[in-house]
Structure formats: structure tokens, C-alpha cells
Amino acid sequence: MPIHEKSLIRPENLTTHDKLEIDGVDVSGHWSTFIESRVLTDYNEALQDEVQALPGGEAVHRCWQCGSCTNACTVNAINPDFNPRYWIYLIRLGMEQELLRDKDIVWQCVSCNKCTHVCPRDVNPEGVMKALAHWLELKGHTARSPSTEFDEEFASQVFETGKIEESRVIRGFFRRTGQPLMQDWLIAMTRRMLRHVPVKLLLAMGLQGLLRPSTRSWGAARGAIRDYVARRERENRRALGLDAAAHQGD
Amino acid sequence: MSKPILVVGAGPAGLAASHALAAVGQPVVLVEKERTLGGAPILSGYAKLVPSGEWAKDAIGAMVQRVEASERIDVRRATRITAFDGSPGAFSASLSDGSQVEVGAAILATGFTHFDSINKPEWGFGLFPDVVTTTQIEQMISSGKGVRCPSDGRKPKRVAVLLCVGSRDRQIGREWCSKICCTVSANIAMEIREELPDCHVYIYYMDIRTFGLYEDRFYWRSQEEFKVKYVKARIAEVTSDGERLVLKGEDTLVKRPITIPFDLVVHAIGMDPSTENPGIAEVFGVALEEHGHIARASTYRDMSATSRPGVLVAGAATGPETIDDSIAQGQAAAMAALSAAGIALRAAG
């Protein structure tokens, strides 16, 4: 007999006991398969407010589900599971569990802003995607990845000096991720650079690496940026009901 | 002096028609079955009207006063028409008070009847005290008591408004859209959010029909300024878990069943044809259209005409109608009545 609406059964909703006996009958294995209920039993009313407190998410409550964002979406054309319209709806109604199922694809947004330009209600879906990714991160739903480490190393150097110095970024990144400095590909690249890059430029690069000069008059900007980032982090964490201790990005 | 025009019903359409006729010097006999004039907005205790935001007792009350103050309008309260004979320019109407009036034409402004939610038992009205209608919410607001759960008087933390209760439902023979409930619901939702900022309001809809200028002033504003949430789902059942009401249905955008607890459930009830219409049709000899409203003979050339010459119709008697359009139709019917009764206005001067 065919199982109707089989597509609605999600693998994570199937439970099977390897060893189970009910009233003396052995129902181990697939005999004991249960499908958990698909029913949504409540709304998390804090969710919309939390996403709205994060930069980009402010106008999410305006959405009326026309789907223009998803139709315009660059990523959706490649990955049909990437559906901003749907996530906006889940945020609005506080369907958190449903949202978390897609936590690993939300970040795929390429910020092309086609959705933003097509939206008839000024929802700023691109901003919502950013806010949502941020929300997932702050709530601890997204694991820290090597790219998180890279981003933070990169940003910390920009905050510090107003510019980046590539060799420092790479060394910092390796240190954060526990990688050895001497890696075959890096050695090969350095060798080729020594052979092909003009001596004058190599010297300039070396000097930059040693002296680590800042952008001119960076001191005031550094302080202002640090203050702003710290304040933003505090506000974000407070809005999400997390501890007020600022999350240090550097 | 010409024969008076008979106006049946003293709601917005009847009041407007009476005033318009009196204003051009035409005597009117205004017959109202209730003791109070004003029709549904007054009798049902509406709060702030759409789209003006004026209180019904002020806005419609002013129309009532204007009619009551007019010397040319003979108001008969708690009275019905029992017989109506004759032809245009020479009709004779028998009234339930035993009197007889000779009139040139008649305007039926007999309005509608609110849908009775008892006819949708699966949505819990009559079964659970905290399931109420939009009319009851209007009364809670207009009485100044505020929106509360009838069961224990507590302030609701979560309210659901179910649209299309008694509208767009072939199962119960209501195949029309009641036109105004979407906008009224958005308005009520905003009023609840204003009074109770901690209370979340959800509107369960099939389509949102806030037509014309109601779109941004009500639908958009309720979302953008008041964060009212709209859920695309037609609720299957309203039950209770013993403490709170529980809505069961399918969220069609998520394609998942929902059972969500609520403190208060509001039925956005539709506009039925007046329960009096079969009697009105018999007494006045006018045809009803397929749903039971008074049929218009023409949509364009004589838009106030019924199937019987000299008998005109205005307002929600013809189908779901807004208050302001009912008033416009009342005025249009007044003009049509003068013409039907063969009354020519004297040249000014």
C-alpha cells in the first residue's frame, strides 16, 4: 500500500528502537518505527523582536509573503531550499524549530540585493538574511568554523591599524586554527614569489610586515570603531537575552 | 404638496435618503422597526468606524439628530409595514400601528443581519465564553471597558481573529465576501494592540481584501505600525485544553498542522441578508437575488431600482456594503424616488 504524503515525513521524525518489547512481543527494529507529530504547538513571540533588534532585520514585520524576494534571489536559482520569503515568515511567526532546520544554508546569501530592490514593502530581505545569520551565530546555533576565525583575524587587524598585512593575517589565522606555519603550499608560494616578484617590492613587503604601519591618524578611528563594535555587541546580546558581557571579536 | 416618500429602515442608508429628500423640501415618512434610530452601527454598539476613525455614536448619532430635527420627516419608531399597494406616484402603505399612509414612492433601506456564529459550531462560539465576534469586540471598546476575556475578565495575552466567518463558505450557503470584515479586523487588531501593547494579535486569513484606500491605512498600517501578524490558514477547529483555547488548522505557507493556544478568539462575522427579507419581498412585491438580498433591477441605468417600479433600494439591503457607500446609495435612491414619484422640483427663486 502506498504511503500518502510520504514527502512530509522527515527523517529526523522517525524513531526506531533496536531493542523493544511491548506486552511480550518483540518489536525490535523497523517494527517499532514511529513517526513523530508534525504539528506546530506554539509560536516563539520573542523571535521577531530579536531579529528586528539586529542590524538589517528592522523591517521584517512588514512582509506580506508575496515571494518577490525568493523569485528574484540569485542563490535560490541554484539552491531551491534557499528561500528568504519562507524564513521571513518563520521569523514573523516565531517558528524557531522550523527555522533551525535551515541554519546551515542561511549564510549562503551573496548580498546581491536583488530582493531588496524588488520588495514592494521595503522589508530589506538582504538585511534580514544578515540579521538572521547573526542571530543564529549569537544564539550558538552556528558552529565556529575556520572562516569565522579568518574573519575575526582579518577584522581585528583592520581595527588595529586600518589596513591588513597579508603575512600577518595568514600567521594569525594559522595560530587561531592550530595549523603549522610551514605548509607545503605556503612554502611553494613563497619560493615562487622570491623568484618572480621584483626585489624592490619584496623589500617593501618585508618592511611592512616588520614595522606594521597604521593608516595615518588611525588612533582616533581605532578608538571610535572599538567603542562602536563593543556597544553594538552589547546591545545585540542584550536584545537576544544573552549575558551582557561583550563578545570579544579580537 | 406632493405625497411623501416612504423610507423603510433608519440606518445609514435610510437616514441619508430621508435627509436628502427633506433637504429639497420633500416630506418623508421614515419607518423603523426598532425604538432607536441609527441602524447596525448604533444598535450593535460599534466603536470607531472605518475608515474615518470617528466613534459610531458621534458620526451616525449626528445623522440621527439631523433627521429627528427635521420638520419634513415623520419618524415612526417600532413600526413595520404590513401591506403596500398601488403604483408609482400613488402607493398606499399600511403600518403596524394601524395607520395608513399615501406615498409617491418607497425606499427600502432595510440593511442586513450579522452572521450568527452558532452556525459554525466547529469554531467554538457558544461553547467557549472566550470565543467572541467582532461585534462583541466593538462593544467592549465602545463601552470603554476594553478588550477582556469574558470567562474571567483577564486581559488577553494572545488574540486570534478568524476571517470569513459566515462568508465565502459554500458549506453554509454563504457564497459572498462580506467586503468589510478584513478592514474591520485590521482596525480591531490595531485597537487591541493600542490598548494592550503586550498582547499579540494574529489574523487567520484565506485572502486579505482591504480594498481601495483601506489597503495601506488598515492592512499595511496594522502590520507596519502595530506588528499584527497575518497567518495564511483557515482554522479547522477551536477547542480548549482546559485552560486556554486551542486553534487547530494548517499553516498553508509552512505546510504544517498547527495547534496554537490563545486567550481570546474573535470571529470576523459576515453580513447575512436581513432575516426580514422574505417578508419584505412579499409585502413590497420585490424580487430577491440568489443569496437572499433585495435584487437590483439594474446595475447602471437605474441603480436604485428593484424589480417593482417605484420601489427603490439602498445600502446593505442589496448585499454587504460599507457605511459610506450605504449613505451614498441612500442619497442616490432619494433622487431616484423623486423621479419615480413624478415629483419635479420647482425652479429656485
Side-chain angles (χ1 to χ4, degrees):
Chain A
M1 201 168 102
I3 299 174
H4 297 287
E5 303 286 0
K6 198 173 180 179
S7 63
L8 296 173
I9 301 173
R10 294 172 176 172
E12 69 266 28
N13 285 356
L14 291 175
T15 49
T16 305
H17 296 272
D18 289 338
K19 283 240 174 282
L20 187 68
E21 201 180 289
I22 297 175
D23 293 339
V25 181
D26 181 16
V27 289
S28 300
H30 73 274
W31 292 105
S32 65
T33 300
F34 287 93
I35 305 168
E36 278 173 37
S37 170
R38 302 169 58 237
V39 176
L40 294 164
T41 54
D42 211 349
Y43 299 133
N44 171 6
E45 279 162 347
L47 183 58
Q48 174 172 281
D49 292 341
E50 289 175 1
V51 172
Q52 287 193 295
L54 300 174
E58 297 88 350
V60 69
H61 66 289
R62 291 168 161 237
C63 178
W64 61 7
Q65 292 293 300
C66 71
S68 295
C69 49
T70 298
N71 285 328
C73 181
T74 307
V75 181
N76 177 267
I78 300 162
N79 177 5
D81 289 337
F82 189 94
N83 189 340
R85 193 271 310 155
Y86 179 60
W87 295 326
I88 288 170
Y89 188 74
L90 300 179
I91 293 166
R92 294 217 55 221
L93 287 178
M95 296 183 180
E96 189 172 346
Q97 289 311 313
E98 199 71 17
L99 194 60
L100 292 180
R101 286 168 47 84
D102 290 336
K103 66 185 167 64
D104 294 329
I105 48 176
V106 169
W107 63 268
Q108 290 176 354
C109 173
V110 294
S111 293
C112 67
N113 271 305
K114 279 161 81 177
C115 52
T116 307
H117 298 307
V118 83
C119 177
R121 291 293 292 279
D122 248 342
V123 170
N124 184 12
E126 186 270 343
V128 176
M129 290 302 98
K130 241 178 222 158
L132 178 56
H134 203 165
W135 182 88
L136 289 166
E137 195 183 344
L138 285 167
K139 285 280 186 181
H141 295 303
T142 325
R144 288 182 72 82
S145 65
S147 71
T148 321
E149 301 295 347
F150 184 88
D151 290 348
E152 290 184 359
E153 178 62 29
F154 188 99
S156 77
Q157 286 201 24
V158 175
F159 295 164
E160 185 60 29
T161 60
K163 54 172 84 171
I164 55 156
E165 202 286 302
E166 288 90 342
S167 71
R168 288 189 79 90
V169 173
I170 289 171
R171 277 183 284 141
F173 173 60
F174 284 174
R175 192 181 60 246
R176 283 166 176 266
T177 50
Q179 297 183 61
L181 186 57
M182 293 299 163
Q183 299 195 25
D184 292 346
W185 68 270
L186 188 57
I187 294 166
M189 192 180 84
T190 311
R191 279 208 181 120
R192 291 181 64 152
M193 281 173 73
L194 289 171
R195 205 176 308 145
H196 296 291
V197 177
V199 176
K200 202 176 159 190
L201 195 53
L202 282 175
L203 285 173
M205 283 172 67
L207 212 59
Q208 294 265 331
L210 286 173
L211 299 179
R212 221 188 155 194
S214 296
T215 298
R216 191 172 299 165
S217 312
W218 186 247
R222 180 194 300 133
I225 290 171
R226 284 240 163 94
D227 286 352
Y228 175 77
V229 170
R231 180 160 51 83
R232 212 46 264 193
E233 292 278 359
R234 261 198 320 276
E235 285 169 4
N236 291 348
R237 293 184 67 81
R238 196 177 303 135
L240 268 55
L242 303 166
D243 59 273
H247 168 78
Q248 289 302 315
D250 53 3
Chain B
M1 196 171 179
S2 58
K3 285 180 185 168
I5 304 291
L6 175 68
V7 177
V8 188
L15 292 169
S18 301
H19 169 72
L21 290 165
V24 295
Q26 174 63 32
V28 173
V29 177
L30 173 59
V31 177
E32 166 58 51
K33 70 176 159 55
E34 304 293 336
R35 296 208 163 273
T36 310
L37 306 190
I42 297 295
L43 295 170
S44 296
Y46 291 178
K48 289 181 187 168
L49 299 181
V50 167
S52 67
E54 290 175 54
W55 290 93
K57 64 175 167 35
D58 299 333
I60 308 301
M63 292 181 70
V64 170
Q65 282 165 18
R66 194 168 65 176
V67 162
E68 283 175 331
S70 172
E71 289 173 1
R72 296 197 182 90
I73 304 172
D74 174 7
V75 181
R76 309 286 184 93
R77 293 159 203 272
T79 305
R80 291 161 184 272
I81 314 291
T82 54
F84 188 80
D85 301 301
S87 54
F91 285 113
S92 173
S94 306
L95 275 51
S96 58
D97 60 9
S99 65
Q100 190 101 10
V101 287
E102 304 300 316
V103 297
I107 297 171
L108 303 178
T110 46
F112 68 101
T113 300
H114 286 108
F115 176 74
D116 186 348
S117 281
I118 288 288
N119 294 314
K120 286 302 279 185
E122 62 269 40
W123 290 334
F125 183 82
L127 196 58
F128 306 112
D130 293 340
V131 178
V132 298
T133 65
T134 36
T135 307
Q136 285 173 281
I137 297 288
E138 292 279 344
Q139 289 162 1
M140 290 182 195
I141 295 168
S142 64
S143 67
K145 290 172 186 155
V147 176
R148 302 289 180 272
C149 296
S151 62
D152 56 3
R154 75 180 188 281
K155 292 177 180 174
K157 287 249 181 270
R158 197 186 270 175
V159 175
V161 182
L162 314 188
L163 294 186
C164 301
V165 178
S167 306
R168 307 174 71 201
D169 190 341
R170 181 164 279 160
Q171 199 187 28
I172 51 168
R174 268 78 173 179
E175 294 168 6
W176 56 87
C177 163
S178 292
K179 201 170 177 176
I180 194 65
C181 341
C182 284
T183 313
V184 166
S185 297
N187 192 42
I188 279 176
M190 290 191 282
E191 287 176 312
I192 294 174
R193 291 280 290 158
E194 201 162 31
E195 192 214 336
L196 308 169
D198 296 333
C199 176
H200 295 264
V201 182
Y202 296 79
I203 293 181
Y204 289 85
Y205 70 95
M206 295 195 287
D207 301 281
I208 293 292
R209 299 181 165 188
T210 45
F211 55 98
L213 301 185
Y214 298 162
E215 177 73 4
D216 60 335
R217 289 191 204 161
F218 292 91
Y219 182 22
W220 291 26
R221 189 158 167 257
S222 70
Q223 282 190 324
E224 295 180 9
E225 284 181 41
F226 292 87
K227 296 194 179 181
V228 174
K229 295 170 185 179
Y230 287 79
V231 188
K232 192 161 172 63
R234 184 149 170 103
I235 294 306
E237 190 182 9
V238 177
T239 60
S240 169
D241 62 6
E243 286 178 20
R244 298 171 86 187
L245 298 168
V246 176
L247 245 60
K248 291 188 177 180
E250 189 200 6
D251 187 316
T252 53
L253 290 179
V254 185
K255 292 192 245 175
R256 280 182 69 175
I258 52 173
T259 60
I260 309 289
F262 278 92
D263 297 309
L264 190 66
V265 172
V266 183
H267 287 190
I269 50 170
M271 296 167 83
D272 270 3
S274 168
T275 52
E276 308 269 348
N277 277 0
I280 291 168
E282 201 177 312
V283 167
F284 286 90
V286 295
L288 301 180
E289 52 84 80
E290 58 182 315
H291 305 108
H293 303 99
I294 295 173
R296 279 182 169 147
S298 157
T299 310
Y300 306 108
R301 210 171 65 87
D302 301 300
M303 70 104 73
S304 307
T306 65
S307 62
R308 182 173 182 183
V311 179
L312 306 148
V313 64
T318 62
E321 199 48 276
T322 64
I323 291 172
D324 39 331
D325 282 349
S326 295
I327 289 168
Q329 289 174 19
Q331 292 177 339
M335 187 61 98
L338 289 176
S339 140
I343 298 163
L345 299 178
R346 280 183 299 276

